[in-house]
Amino acid sequence: MLLMIMIMIIMLLWNEDDELDTARGSSRSSNGLDLTLPSDLNFMPTLGNGHLGYTVFGDAIFMNGVYNGPAGNSKRARIPNWLNITTEVCDRFGCATDADVAVNGTSYEMDLRDGYFRSITTYNSLGLSIEQRTYPHKFFNRALVYEVVATRSTAYGTRANSPQFLRLSQHPGNASDAFEFVVVSNGSSASGDYRTIRGRTDIIEFERFQQQPQEIYIIFSQSLEEPLQLEWPTWQAEVRHRIIICIDREQSVALKELQDVLQLNANSMLQRHTDAWHNFWDRDFSIELVGNVLELSQIINAGIFYLASSLPSLSTNQVNEPFYGLSPTGLGRGNLEADYQGHNFWDTEIWMLPVVTHFGFEYGKQVLDYRSRKLEAAKYNARSKGYKGARFPWESAYTGTEVTNPCCPEVAQQEIHISPDISFALQKFFAHSGDYAWVCDKAWPIAAEVAEFLVSRAACEEFRPVCHLLNVMGPDEDHPDVDDNVYTNAVSKIALEFAEWAGEMCGNDSTELFEKWRRVSDRLLILHDTALDYHPQHAGYVVNTTIKQADTILLGYPLRYDTSTTHLNDLRIYSNVTRESGPAMTWSMFATNYLTSSQEWLGHEYFERGYKDYVRPEFKVWSETPLGFEGSANFLTGIGGFLQAMIYGYGGVNFVRDNNKTTMILRVGMSPLNVDEVHVNYLRYARNTCRWVFGPRFSNMDCGVRSGAQGNFEMVQGKKRTLLGRSFNVTLVKGDEPVYISYLE
């Protein structure tokens, strides 16, 4: 198949027949893009539904929460990709060859709006075409679907050399090294059952929190152990066929899913899937650009799609299992070290969650609930190192204990900032949602334990009001074993302050506890060089020393710890020493910080730098590192940073906890180069769903009240205070002061 002459067609989001104004430069191409497949098939699209995921043409299927291997060797357990199926057209003399295809070739289409990948092969000399479609079903989310439609031109239907059957073959790759598979049933038409395989992982992750191997069941609608031959009489214009594979921990759940899917005809089955994706684009989240910016529109919507594909479907045929978090390369990857073995990092909370929250608060809760369920493991991690409270591991998987690769023990030991990162994310989620009940139920227990860990980890001087965090590593992993990394200390101060606020708000009256936290928070050292008016990254940092990635500059956005002229000096100094091969999200953070500091042209420069060298052109799949360097594929962390730059940098919106209320900060936005307007649809704030439209001259926030919403909004601009009611519409023009809109419960 890969030897054929191929034409790539990418339809990013909207279909050909949508009556959209093409001048809006939204997300569709009327003619598609004429490209070849990526030379590295790692950069094929990765598809998922939060329960199952895979990369097109890849050799692996992965399931949410299923890992194999001990401690740092734990990785997503690879299921052979039995969905990787190809169809050939054949007659009694053999099958069609590349020569039969070469005139018109094969088109490959990633349809983001409908949520499937397909190829169409035209056999010009034979007068027929073969369409193959593959997708993880978004509503029947235990089901993976392969469909083939073969169509014959009537002019060729009676020819003697016209193909007489289709041959379907599986290409699952090598046997799995993660599972011991046993055939439960081979299936037979006589008995009415299906081929069923039970898989049991070989090695548990950590015995204290996992007593037994994990077990899954895989049920096939039809066995393809041997190639399947479908008869195609020459008089028949079309033949259709589908293969369904259902996977779950429970055999009964997988079987019910398969039976429910097979009750539907092929069109109805696809319709349930596309309806679910349409609901996401039309009700949950989308970004539209106005202007002649098709390429950027495609990158934005492809990024949204790949990020959403790793999240749980919120409306499903059967109840979802607990969600096991967002790893840097998503659910459809995780067998390789380059995929970070499917582990969870700070990437989840700092880079992806701020965007995921706008997809809907339930998505954000699903992501954060993983940390809540692993709190006991985090407390164990702290105790095992001689500390109190909860220390979340740098990398976590099934059990929530430390699973950092054995290559890099210093990373696991020293990147303690992930614990306050999680606490910071809890506070940001509250700032978005205004959900006080959630704070007390989910956020406060975590925030309290993180605060206890930070106090026990801090080293406070006896005769000076100064506390340190020693022997740490900040986000810049080129500098291990440093003292007082300024990002780590700043996010820890924020975490301690949030824990005190949450405790008081949730009815805890332990003044002794709060005083202990406050004493450390007030004294944690934030390094500042008065001569150069900048923050040294860590004790002993020498100006012009090269660093790996965004670190100190994060004190501006997202932390909002320091937005003074000192922050501008941080941006200037560290922009000149960050290495070229750094990860994608670094430049997006420079862009966001420059844009929020009204440094528009520098913002444009770093915004473009943050995606142009990181996105593969064929399917807009992201790489962790610039093209030409080794790095991860489908890099969701980079997508998250890029979308934050669009929403928070160009959009000029932010959400903060302001004492006992949440506040949305609006400033006049700006737009990327050649973009007339940006429409962010379904941005969430408190009980409302908003539409944020911004461009180089104005910004408009329109927030409509949601069903059952209570409370009111208050706006402060300068010295003017205005009660807005339960919904509001605010327009800013260039030169206006920022607006602060607070939700009053």
Side-chain angles (χ1 to χ4, degrees):
M1 178 175 59
L2 298 182
L3 298 178
M4 302 172 187
I5 297 175
M6 294 166 286
I7 297 176
M8 177 73 69
I9 301 174
I10 305 175
M11 292 178 62
L12 294 181
L13 190 52
W14 277 281
N15 290 329
E16 193 68 46
D17 55 356
D18 282 340
E19 297 297 323
L20 294 179
D21 180 1
T22 56
R24 294 174 67 83
S26 46
S27 313
R28 73 180 180 105
S29 167
S30 58
N31 297 312
L33 300 176
D34 295 336
L35 302 166
T36 59
L37 286 174
S39 57
D40 182 351
L41 293 185
N42 272 320
F43 292 92
M44 291 299 290
T46 296
L47 308 182
N49 57 20
H51 181 73
L52 299 167
Y54 62 94
T55 297
V56 173
F57 298 159
D59 69 348
I61 296 168
F62 297 107
M63 180 173 158
N64 168 49
V66 180
Y67 293 83
N68 181 69
N73 290 312
S74 174
K75 60 184 178 181
R76 289 201 194 277
R78 175 183 165 264
I79 304 166
N81 190 359
W82 286 297
L83 194 71
N84 196 8
I85 300 169
T86 57
T87 295
E88 300 172 278
V89 293
C90 309
D91 61 19
R92 65 182 183 275
F93 300 110
C95 297
T97 67
D98 291 353
D100 297 304
V101 184
V103 175
N104 280 16
T106 299
S107 67
Y108 296 89
E109 175 186 5
M110 182 64 247
D111 190 322
L112 302 185
R113 180 163 175 81
D114 287 348
Y116 61 73
F117 180 88
R118 72 172 176 176
S119 65
I120 301 176
T121 302
T122 302
Y123 296 82
N124 218 39
S125 63
L126 301 177
L128 57 88
S129 65
I130 301 293
E131 177 180 345
Q132 300 175 75
R133 183 186 293 122
T134 175
Y135 57 93
H137 208 287
K138 193 164 176 64
F139 178 75
F140 296 101
N141 67 339
R142 273 73 172 183
L144 303 174
V145 179
Y146 170 85
E147 298 175 291
V148 59
V149 180
T151 305
R152 195 194 314 268
S153 167
T154 54
Y156 284 78
T158 59
R159 291 195 178 189
N161 66 342
S162 188
Q164 298 162 356
F165 63 89
L166 303 179
R167 177 181 291 161
L168 277 66
S169 304
Q170 280 179 330
H171 310 278
N174 296 328
S176 173
D177 63 354
F179 289 98
E180 177 187 343
F181 286 113
V182 175
V183 177
V184 176
S185 170
N186 266 318
S188 69
S189 56
S191 62
D193 62 358
Y194 306 96
R195 177 170 172 78
T196 303
I197 299 174
R198 183 185 69 235
R200 186 173 288 134
T201 55
D202 291 332
I203 306 172
I204 61 175
E205 187 174 287
F206 185 60
E207 187 174 5
R208 184 184 183 96
F209 292 97
Q210 182 187 357
Q211 283 71 50
Q212 300 293 330
Q214 299 192 68
E215 192 172 78
I216 65 171
Y217 288 86
I218 306 168
I219 305 181
F220 302 81
S221 65
Q222 193 164 12
S223 175
L224 285 182
E225 287 187 283
E226 300 294 335
L228 174 66
Q229 184 170 306
L230 298 177
E231 296 302 320
W232 190 11
T234 56
W235 51 262
Q236 187 173 325
E238 182 180 274
V239 62
R240 293 173 175 261
H241 197 73
R242 59 180 174 171
I243 303 292
I244 313 296
I245 302 173
C246 292
I247 309 176
D248 197 79
R249 297 177 192 271
E250 300 292 335
Q251 184 177 0
S252 60
V253 172
L255 179 59
K256 174 174 169 45
E257 199 83 335
L258 180 59
Q259 291 171 335
D260 289 350
V261 169
L262 292 179
Q263 286 181 2
L264 302 174
N265 63 40
N267 288 336
S268 297
M269 178 186 67
L270 177 61
Q271 189 70 47
R272 295 297 294 272
H273 172 74
T274 59
D275 283 349
W277 270 110
H278 293 179
N279 284 337
F280 174 82
W281 294 114
D282 297 340
R283 299 179 186 178
D284 289 345
F285 190 76
S286 67
I287 295 178
E288 299 174 53
L289 304 186
V290 178
N292 187 23
V293 283
L294 176 61
E295 177 79 1
L296 181 57
S297 292
Q298 291 175 332
I299 292 170
I300 288 171
N301 287 292
I304 294 169
F305 176 82
Y306 294 133
L307 187 54
S309 291
S310 280
L311 293 168
S313 298
L314 300 185
S315 176
T316 57
N317 185 48
Q318 300 183 82
V319 176
N320 281 332
E321 290 190 321
F323 185 55
Y324 279 80
L326 282 167
S327 62
T329 61
L331 177 57
R333 307 181 67 91
N335 193 49
L336 305 175
E337 290 186 14
D339 300 323
Y340 294 103
Q341 299 165 296
H343 297 167
N344 292 279
F345 295 72
W346 75 313
D347 304 47
T348 303
E349 283 78 16
I350 297 299
W351 302 102
M352 293 183 258
L353 185 64
V355 176
V356 167
T357 298
H358 288 303
F359 296 174
F361 292 141
E362 185 56 35
Y363 289 109
K365 288 180 179 179
Q366 292 271 344
V367 171
L368 289 169
D369 191 55
Y370 170 73
R371 300 299 191 183
S372 181
R373 287 185 286 106
K374 301 306 175 185
L375 181 57
E376 287 304 313
K379 291 163 69 174
Y380 169 82
N381 293 337
R383 292 195 304 271
S384 69
K385 302 298 182 184
Y387 300 112
K388 297 179 181 179
R391 175 183 176 171
F392 285 91
W394 180 240
E395 300 184 31
S396 63
Y398 179 66
T399 63
T401 54
E402 184 63 73
V403 292
T404 295
N405 193 299
C407 73
C408 312
E410 70 282 358
V411 178
Q413 295 162 8
Q414 298 171 19
E415 288 215 54
I416 66 169
H417 65 82
I418 188 170
S419 293
D421 290 340
I422 291 169
S423 189
F424 175 76
L426 296 170
Q427 178 170 221
K428 289 294 289 185
F429 184 80
F430 168 73
H432 279 276
S433 66
D435 192 333
Y436 291 86
W438 173 85
V439 168
C440 295
D441 182 37
K442 298 291 186 179
W444 155 243
I446 296 175
E449 297 294 346
V450 167
E452 284 292 279
F453 166 68
L454 292 172
V455 168
S456 68
R457 182 63 168 76
C460 296
E461 297 186 24
E462 184 175 357
F463 300 110
R464 294 176 60 216
V466 178
C467 295
H468 308 273
L469 290 174
L470 307 176
N471 310 116
V472 300
M473 180 189 294
D476 169 25
E477 293 168 339
D478 285 354
H479 289 88
D481 198 19
V482 300
D483 296 338
D484 291 322
N485 169 260
V486 69
Y487 172 84
T488 302
N489 286 18
V491 76
S492 295
K493 289 171 74 74
I494 293 170
L496 288 162
E497 293 162 4
F498 174 63
E500 180 181 351
W501 173 83
E504 291 176 342
M505 201 272 293
C506 295
N508 189 301
D509 58 1
S510 176
T511 55
E512 182 180 351
L513 181 68
F514 299 153
E515 175 58 32
K516 177 178 66 174
W517 296 347
R518 193 181 308 122
R519 187 163 54 247
V520 173
S521 175
D522 289 345
R523 298 179 182 185
L524 265 180
L525 179 62
I526 302 297
L527 295 170
H528 179 243
D529 183 315
T530 55
L532 296 177
D533 189 21
Y534 91 110
H535 294 106
Q537 183 174 280
H538 51 77
Y541 177 79
V542 177
V543 174
N544 294 328
T545 300
T546 300
I547 66 172
K548 175 186 177 183
Q549 65 184 72
D551 190 316
T552 303
I553 67 160
L554 302 178
L555 267 63
Y557 179 89
L559 296 190
R560 297 189 79 252
Y561 182 84
D562 188 343
T563 57
S564 67
T565 55
T566 304
H567 176 57
L568 288 175
N569 289 331
D570 289 342
L571 289 170
R572 176 179 54 81
I573 288 171
Y574 291 109
S575 66
N576 292 325
V577 298
T578 304
R579 57 179 165 98
E580 294 293 321
S581 60
M585 68 282 188
T586 283
W587 312 118
S588 294
M589 284 302 102
F590 274 106
T592 303
N593 277 282
Y594 275 125
L595 290 167
T596 54
S597 302
S598 300
Q599 305 290 306
E600 184 173 347
W601 284 104
L602 285 169
H604 291 324
E605 175 187 337
Y606 281 97
F607 179 71
E608 292 193 351
R609 188 175 181 181
Y611 73 87
K612 284 192 171 180
D613 290 337
Y614 292 87
V615 179
R616 298 283 175 144
E618 298 85 3
F619 293 110
K620 314 308 180 198
V621 174
W622 283 67
S623 172
E624 177 185 11
T625 53
L627 304 185
F629 293 89
E630 291 186 3
S632 303
N634 193 46
F635 192 51
L636 300 184
T637 308
I639 292 172
F642 166 74
L643 293 174
Q644 286 190 62
M646 179 62 71
I647 298 168
Y648 300 106
Y650 281 111
V653 63
N654 209 335
F655 301 84
V656 299
R657 176 183 62 82
D658 183 8
N659 293 319
N660 287 328
K661 62 181 183 292
T662 69
T663 297
M664 176 166 62
I665 304 172
L666 304 177
R667 63 171 174 80
V668 180
M670 57 194 83
S671 57
L673 294 175
N674 301 316
V675 177
D676 299 325
E677 290 180 10
V678 179
H679 296 210
V680 180
N681 301 312
Y682 317 114
L683 183 142
R684 265 63 180 192
Y685 175 49
R687 312 290 177 161
N688 286 31
T689 300
C690 307
R691 188 164 185 259
W692 182 223
V693 177
F694 54 88
R697 293 169 296 278
F698 81 101
S699 301
N700 175 262
M701 179 68 76
D702 184 13
C703 292
V705 65
R706 292 167 59 193
S707 176
Q710 302 296 323
N712 292 287
F713 293 91
E714 180 184 67
M715 180 176 74
V716 175
Q717 186 175 28
K719 297 181 179 180
K720 184 179 179 181
R721 187 180 300 269
T722 306
L723 189 64
L724 298 175
R726 295 171 61 202
S727 62
F728 58 90
N729 186 301
V730 174
T731 298
L732 300 176
V733 296
K734 200 163 187 177
D736 282 350
E737 291 185 82
V739 164
Y740 298 81
I741 299 174
S742 298
Y743 174 65
L744 308 177
E745 180 76 24

